[in-house]
């Protein structure tokens, strides 16, 4: 629940309050949630000096930013923007970006309804320099959503018989029955939520479709394009989101640094899967080489060398 001027009083002395807060364990989620609530309370009560004192006394470090469910960086950025220090406000926004703040859209004026619930954020949303930087890395879209065996990159493909009682062919839309010869496949979707159910297509219908067979070949010889992978509408981590909307400036070394740089906590806090799967996309696009130039044991085709 958002803080309000009616919440229980804090210690009379700001020095006393800061001493109590500085004594808390900075590695704990509860600590940063308490700091965030206190910072929001000061802003809601119009105590800008107290908000600035708290924001500047507790500069978040990597350990603190591992606790990413609080809004300390948001309120610290708001306080600095309200005080007219654009550089300090922007530094907090960029810190949130680097560490994968899950609600990064909080910083984007065009993504947050400008109503009473967002009134405290207005000094940040009205700052043209901050908003220009946010817009340069985050717009809420990447590409057209869609999973189509004719164009969406596969992450699994095999031939077999339909094990379900019945299913629709993804190519012809024909009703298929159990035991029918089919291709089964899963799509790479750029995140960690790969569908649990296989897509299926009648083998004859698939083999007679030039776009589908070309898409399968791209999967088999790892010759997909990054543009083919950039169909997901949005990504949870703002840095991964920014990568997929700036493919014109693709640089392999910079991308590998992006994957390697996030703190370890990213791998188990909900957005790490997007970095791992970005690495998978690079492999499927042939950017990281292949085991050898011999024939692939699955498809018996020659691997493409980098």
């Amino acid at each position: 629940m958002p803080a309000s001027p009616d919440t229980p009083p804090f210690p009379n002395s700001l020095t006393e309050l800061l001493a109590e807060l500085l004594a808390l364990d900075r590695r704990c989620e509860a600590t940063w949630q308490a700091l965030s609530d206190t910072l929001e309370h000061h802003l809601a009560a119009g105590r800008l000096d107290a908000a600035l004192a708290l924001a500047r006394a507790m500069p978040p470090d990597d350990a603190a930013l591992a606790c990413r469910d609080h809004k300390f960086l948001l309120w610290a950025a708001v306080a600095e923007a309200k005080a007219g220090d654009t550089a300090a406000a922007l530094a907090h926004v960029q810190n949130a970006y680097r560490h994968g703040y899950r609600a990064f859209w909080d910083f984007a004026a065009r993504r947050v309804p400008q109503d009473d619930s967002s009134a405290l954020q207005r000094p940040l949303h009205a700052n043209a320099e901050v908003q220009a930087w946010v817009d340069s890395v985050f717009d809420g879209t990447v590409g057209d959503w869609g999973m189509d065996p004719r164009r969406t990159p596969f992450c699994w493909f095999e031939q077999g018989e339909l094990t379900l009682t019945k299913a629709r062919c993804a190519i012809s839309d024909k009703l298929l029955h159990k035991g029918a010869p089919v291709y089964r496949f899963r799509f790479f979707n750029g995140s960690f939520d790969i569908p649990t159910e296989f897509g299926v297509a009648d083998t004859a219908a698939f083999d007679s479709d030039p776009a589908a067979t070309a898409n399968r070949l791209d999967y088999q010889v790892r010759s997909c394009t990054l543009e083919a992978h950039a169909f997901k509408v949005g990504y949870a981590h703002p840095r991964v989101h920014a990568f997929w909307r700036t493919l014109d400036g693709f640089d392999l070394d910079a991308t590998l640094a992006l994957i390697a740089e996030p703190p370890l906590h990213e791998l188990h806090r909900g957005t790490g899967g997007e970095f791992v799967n970005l690495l998978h996309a690079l492999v499927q696009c042939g950017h990281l080489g292949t085991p050898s130039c011999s024939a692939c044991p699955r498809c018996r085709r020659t691997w493409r060398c980098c």
Side-chain angles (χ1 to χ4, degrees):
M1 178 180 296
S4 74
D6 297 327
T7 53
F10 293 103
N12 292 328
S13 166
L14 180 58
T15 302
E16 180 184 348
L17 169 62
L18 290 177
E20 290 186 12
L21 293 173
L22 289 169
L24 297 176
D25 188 341
R26 294 165 59 89
R27 298 167 298 178
C28 294
E29 187 85 39
T31 294
W32 289 96
Q33 189 60 59
L35 291 169
S36 177
D37 290 346
T38 304
L39 194 49
E40 182 183 5
H41 177 95
H42 284 318
L43 289 170
R47 295 192 291 266
L48 180 58
D49 288 345
L52 289 171
L54 176 55
R56 294 170 181 175
M58 299 290 287
D61 54 18
D62 280 356
L65 291 167
C67 307
R68 293 180 299 130
D69 291 332
H70 60 80
K71 294 193 173 186
F72 185 85
L73 287 176
L74 171 64
W75 300 125
V78 168
E80 296 292 1
K82 192 170 184 178
D85 192 336
T86 295
L90 185 57
H92 287 305
V93 175
Q94 291 171 335
N95 228 350
Y97 172 76
R98 187 171 77 86
H99 282 266
Y101 175 51
R102 291 185 186 184
F104 191 77
W105 54 81
D106 280 340
F107 296 105
R110 54 190 169 68
R111 289 295 305 276
V112 178
Q114 298 302 300
D115 53 25
D116 291 344
S117 66
S118 63
L120 285 181
Q121 301 173 34
R122 285 175 189 161
L124 189 66
H125 292 163
N127 188 298
E129 186 174 338
V130 169
Q131 291 305 307
W133 190 87
V134 171
D135 287 346
S136 74
V137 297
F138 188 81
D139 70 350
T141 61
V142 174
D144 295 330
W145 177 268
M147 290 190 177
D148 185 332
R150 299 174 180 86
R151 61 186 178 88
T152 308
F154 296 115
C155 69
W156 183 267
F157 194 99
E158 65 182 9
Q159 186 172 357
E161 293 184 350
L162 183 64
T163 57
L164 301 173
T165 302
K166 58 184 178 179
R168 290 281 177 185
C169 171
I171 298 293
S172 68
D173 200 37
K174 181 177 70 174
L175 185 63
L176 306 174
H177 297 279
K178 188 172 183 178
V182 296
Y183 292 124
R184 303 197 308 162
F185 41 82
R186 287 193 174 111
F187 295 112
F188 177 83
N189 69 358
S191 189
F192 46 78
D193 52 343
I194 291 172
T196 55
E197 294 295 333
F198 285 100
V200 296
D202 174 73
T203 55
F206 190 101
D207 289 340
S208 63
D209 189 296
T213 55
N215 194 28
R216 175 181 59 188
L217 181 61
D218 285 341
Y219 162 75
Q220 291 170 330
V221 301
R222 296 185 180 178
S223 61
C224 298
T225 66
L226 284 171
E227 287 76 14
H229 285 79
F231 63 88
K232 196 168 187 282
V233 172
Y235 293 81
H237 199 294
R239 297 186 72 198
V240 176
H241 185 98
F243 169 83
W244 285 111
R245 63 185 294 268
T246 54
L247 289 180
D248 288 346
F250 172 72
D251 179 280
L252 179 60
D253 290 339
T255 304
L256 293 176
L258 167 68
I259 295 170
E261 185 187 16
L264 289 178
H265 72 272
E266 300 288 5
L267 298 180
H268 58 83
R269 290 303 298 269
T271 59
E274 294 183 342
F275 288 92
V276 175
N277 283 288
L278 174 53
L279 183 62
H280 177 82
L282 294 178
V283 171
Q284 284 302 107
C285 293
H287 289 294
L288 298 181
T290 56
S292 70
C293 291
S294 60
C296 166
R298 276 180 70 192
C299 64
R300 313 309 303 173
R301 295 181 182 274
T302 302
W303 289 97
R304 186 183 71 147
C305 293
C306 293

